[in-house]
């Protein structure tokens, strides 16, 4: 790949296949674990399920991924944020176990896409989801979650709880200041630091149930949830799969640039997607959330220049061990809602900004009517509260916006084939 970053030979690099000694691997593995920890446990906290389950299957999923990718892609699989909005909707009408059926089907979609990529490449994905669509869809994920974060922070409650507002504000201030002040490794673990600061402040004003921590056993077994399959719930969740696929492709390219290898060809994007798919299927079967490659861990590699899959594998094993630590899980369960709300306010905003970043970096030309229409319709459909029932299956928010995006783009493609669009006339292609 022509745009790959060439490593600086003056700096020490631990390459993908290298196996550092245990005394060096252990702290490096903990470093990767810290990078993903805060964001990854945030998802089960939002869903009100046992974080231990997610820690366990993030580790299991990562080891499966490394095996399927032939040990050639240094990537840690953590909890995906793309599914938060549809799961919130499902939990309002069903329960978390119903969402698990959708997670399993999502993993199946990943594996099917991987098989198609193996045979046909990725151009078809770019055709169905052009940047004008995928950027707007990613933006919707963050924007439609904004009110939820504000409510958790206590900012929009009818009866003001000033302690909650204070805790959320201190956490949010830490988020903002940390984002611009942290350097080096601290910059790679911002979510974890924000959780710790917010938690300690909440503890200092008596908002933490210390007795619950004290009553927690030192060892505990993660909770396993049995999936339920409901067509309506599955159809609400599935559109998020394509957002994660687009994110996955971007992460793989960035990782390839960092390690100076074309990972999309060796071991291949198909193996990478397949590994993510199998990980998500297994997670769904046992009660955990969909997994995705984590930008936080990619950032750690860029900072430390440690690319070893042995280090990543070590972090996965530590994650699995921590899942059985009752005291740690007890602490996580007592994190007050305003702390999570304060973090989420910026975090969900960053997700929305990531969508805008896609539009900017892909240089989407809004002088072209199709691009303007695609982005506009996705935003208005996703944020207006519009709901459409298709075969008694409700679609709204990101799910409905994704369907609209695909439908509109396919219409534009057909019109192009028929040489009816004014864009073709103006460019002289008719």
């Amino acid at each position: 790949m022509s745009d790959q970053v060439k490593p600086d030979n003056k700096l020490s690099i631990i390459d993908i296949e290298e196996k550092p000694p245990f005394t060096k691997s252990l702290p490096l593995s903990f470093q990767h674990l810290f990078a993903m920890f805060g964001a990854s446990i945030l998802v089960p906290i939002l869903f009100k399920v046992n974080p231990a389950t997610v820690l366990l299957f993030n580790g299991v999923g990562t080891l499966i991924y490394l095996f399927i990718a032939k040990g050639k892609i240094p990537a840690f699989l953590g909890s995906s944020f793309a599914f938060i909005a549809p799961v919130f909707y499902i939990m309002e009408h069903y329960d978390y176990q119903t969402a698990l059926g959708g997670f399993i089907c999502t993993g199946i979609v990943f594996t099917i896409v991987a098989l198609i990529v193996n045979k046909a490449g990725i151009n078809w994905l770019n055709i169905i989801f052009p940047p004008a669509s995928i950027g707007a869809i990613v933006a919707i994920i963050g924007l439609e979650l904004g009110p939820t974060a504000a409510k958790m922070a206590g900012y929009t409650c009818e009866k003001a709880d000033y302690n909650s507002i204070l805790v959320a504000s201190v956490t949010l201030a830490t988020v903002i200041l940390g984002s611009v002040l942290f350097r080096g490794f601290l910059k790679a673990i911002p979510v974890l630091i924000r959780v710790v600061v917010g938690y300690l402040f909440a503890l200092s004003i008596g908002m933490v149930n210390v007795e619950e921590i004290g009553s927690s056993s030192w060892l505990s077994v993660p909770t396993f949830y049995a999936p339920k399959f409901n067509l309506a719930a599955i159809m609400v969740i599935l559109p998020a799969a394509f957002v994660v696929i687009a994110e996955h492709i971007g992460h793989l390219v960035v990782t390839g640039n960092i390690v100076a290898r074309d990972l999309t060809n060796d071991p291949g994007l198909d193996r990478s997607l397949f590994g993510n798919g199998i990980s998500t299927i297994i997670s769904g079967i046992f009660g955990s959330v969909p997994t995705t490659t984590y930008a936080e861990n990619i950032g750690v590699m860029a900072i430390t220049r440690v690319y070893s899959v042995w280090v990543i594998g070590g972090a996965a094993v530590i994650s699995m061990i921590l899942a059985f630590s009752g005291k740690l899980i007890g602490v996580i369960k007592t994190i007050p809602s305003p702390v999570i709300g304060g973090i989420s306010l910026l975090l969900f905003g960053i997700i929305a900004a990531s969508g805008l970043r896609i539009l900017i970096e892909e240089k989407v030309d809004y002088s072209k009517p199709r691009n303007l229409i695609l982005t506009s319709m996705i935003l208005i459909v996703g944020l207006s509260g519009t709901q459409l029932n298709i075969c008694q299956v409700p679609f709204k928010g990101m799910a409905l916006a994704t369907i609209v995006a695909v439908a509109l783009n396919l219409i534009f493609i057909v019109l192009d084939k028929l040489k009816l669009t004014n864009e073709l006339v103006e460019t002289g292609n008719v």
Side-chain angles (χ1 to χ4, degrees):
M1 299 174 68
S2 59
D3 60 344
Q4 286 177 336
V5 177
K6 300 300 181 182
D8 185 348
N9 293 328
K10 295 180 181 179
L11 297 175
S12 176
I13 295 174
I14 300 179
D15 218 338
I16 292 175
E17 297 84 2
E18 290 185 51
K19 184 179 181 181
F22 179 77
T23 53
K24 193 171 185 177
S25 291
L26 186 61
L28 290 173
S29 294
F30 267 107
Q31 189 168 245
H32 271 287
L33 181 70
F34 289 152
M36 55 69 64
F37 192 84
S40 205
I41 65 168
L42 182 59
V43 176
I45 291 173
L46 291 173
F47 294 166
K48 295 180 173 56
V49 297
N50 192 345
T53 309
V54 172
L55 284 175
L56 176 61
F57 286 98
N58 281 352
V60 171
T62 298
L63 293 179
I64 291 172
Y65 176 86
L66 295 176
F67 175 77
I68 292 176
K70 298 181 176 180
K72 294 184 177 182
I73 304 177
F76 196 103
L77 300 189
S79 311
S80 174
F81 278 74
F83 297 87
I84 294 176
V87 171
F88 277 173
Y89 176 83
I90 287 169
M91 291 179 69
E92 285 179 7
H93 298 83
Y94 305 99
D95 54 21
Y96 176 70
Q97 290 172 285
T98 304
L100 292 175
F103 296 164
I104 294 170
C105 292
T106 294
I108 294 172
V109 169
F110 287 163
T111 60
I112 292 172
V113 170
L115 295 174
I116 296 174
V117 168
N118 178 264
K119 299 296 181 182
I122 64 172
N123 287 338
W124 65 278
L125 274 173
N126 296 328
I127 292 172
I128 296 176
F129 291 103
S133 292
I134 201 66
I137 292 170
V138 172
I140 288 292
I141 294 174
L143 292 173
E144 71 172 322
L145 288 170
T148 300
K151 184 176 180 180
M152 293 176 65
Y155 293 159
T156 58
C157 295
E158 293 183 5
K159 186 177 180 180
D161 180 344
Y162 294 105
N163 278 344
S164 294
I165 293 173
L166 183 59
V167 169
S169 298
V170 168
T171 306
L172 181 58
T174 305
V175 171
I176 294 171
L177 292 176
S179 298
V180 297
L181 296 178
F182 291 158
R183 301 180 184 182
F185 178 59
L186 292 180
K187 189 177 179 180
I189 56 170
V191 176
L192 181 63
I193 293 175
R194 298 160 193 170
V195 170
V196 171
V197 171
Y199 185 86
L200 291 177
F201 183 77
L203 180 65
S204 70
I205 63 173
M207 285 190 67
V208 175
N209 186 354
V210 180
E211 293 181 1
E212 185 175 343
I213 301 174
S215 62
S216 301
S217 60
W218 287 101
L219 291 175
S220 65
V221 178
T223 307
F224 299 105
Y225 306 88
K228 299 177 184 177
F229 293 89
N230 179 289
L231 179 60
I234 290 170
M235 297 306 293
V236 169
I237 286 180
L238 280 187
F242 294 97
V243 177
V244 178
I245 288 169
E247 175 188 56
H248 187 105
I249 294 170
H251 283 174
L252 189 62
V253 171
V254 171
T255 303
N257 290 341
I258 291 172
V259 303
R261 300 188 188 188
D262 187 356
L263 301 177
T264 58
N265 284 323
D266 183 21
L269 175 60
D270 55 334
R271 280 186 171 272
S272 187
L273 285 171
F274 193 79
N276 198 349
I278 296 299
S279 168
T280 296
I281 291 171
I282 292 175
S283 292
I285 290 173
F286 290 98
S288 188
V289 300
T291 56
T292 184
T293 49
Y294 253 37
E296 288 86 346
N297 296 94
I298 296 172
V300 170
M301 288 192 294
I303 292 170
T304 63
R305 307 182 76 79
V306 176
Y307 313 142
S308 172
V309 293
W310 293 94
V311 170
I312 298 289
V317 172
I318 295 172
S319 180
M320 294 164 63
I321 293 173
L322 289 180
F324 294 89
S325 171
K327 288 294 183 185
L328 174 64
I329 302 305
V331 170
I332 293 173
K333 288 181 177 179
T334 59
I335 298 175
S337 179
V339 173
I340 303 302
I343 295 169
S344 299
L345 277 169
L346 183 61
L347 198 59
F348 294 159
I350 289 173
I351 294 173
S354 298
L356 301 180
R357 181 177 177 178
I358 292 172
L359 300 175
I360 294 169
E361 291 184 346
E362 294 294 333
K363 299 179 180 178
V364 176
D365 184 358
Y366 283 113
S367 67
K368 295 181 177 180
R370 71 177 59 201
N371 288 338
L372 186 60
I373 290 170
L374 280 170
T375 300
S376 300
M377 289 302 298
I378 290 168
L379 290 174
I380 201 66
V381 168
L383 296 176
S384 64
T386 302
Q387 180 170 313
L388 179 65
N389 293 327
I390 303 176
C391 298
Q392 298 185 331
V393 176
F395 290 92
K396 64 181 295 186
M398 183 201 69
L400 182 57
T402 303
I403 293 172
V404 169
V406 173
L408 276 176
N409 201 55
L410 290 177
I411 290 171
F412 292 150
I413 292 171
V414 171
L415 293 176
D416 279 342
K417 294 293 184 182
L418 296 175
K419 298 184 178 180
L420 294 175
T421 58
N422 52 22
E423 186 178 313
L424 290 177
V425 174
E426 291 167 1
T427 56
N429 291 325
V430 175

